[in-house]
Amino acid sequence: TVSFNPNCTTGNAATFEWQFDELGDSEDRKPSFTFEEPGEYQVTLKVFDPNKNLSEFTETIIVN
């Protein structure tokens, strides 16, 4: 299980959209996600401000 925290965001974030590879997603600000199998997974965070401007960040998570 990995806990995620959008510390990279600044400004006035209105919504958060997390995508955990193709395994699931979350709209929580600080979600936790359990990767069941070892491997490399792409996790993407999309942050929208009140005007619907998008900031996006992708990170590779390695599970041993």
Side-chain angles (χ1 to χ4, degrees):
T1 299
V2 179
S3 297
F4 295 90
N5 187 338
N7 284 339
C8 63
T9 58
T10 60
N12 192 9
T15 60
F16 298 86
E17 294 181 5
W18 295 88
Q19 181 66 42
F20 306 104
D21 215 47
E22 294 184 12
L23 304 173
D25 54 36
S26 176
E27 292 183 1
D28 293 342
R29 185 175 189 280
K30 295 181 178 182
S32 293
F33 189 81
T34 301
F35 296 93
E36 300 290 338
E37 300 291 330
E40 291 188 13
Y41 301 94
Q42 297 294 315
V43 176
T44 300
L45 169 60
K46 294 180 180 180
V47 180
F48 295 88
D49 71 9
N51 296 321
K52 303 292 183 195
N53 294 309
L54 168 66
S55 292
E56 186 172 334
F57 178 78
T58 301
E59 182 75 28
T60 300
I61 304 295
I62 298 172
V63 178
N64 295 320

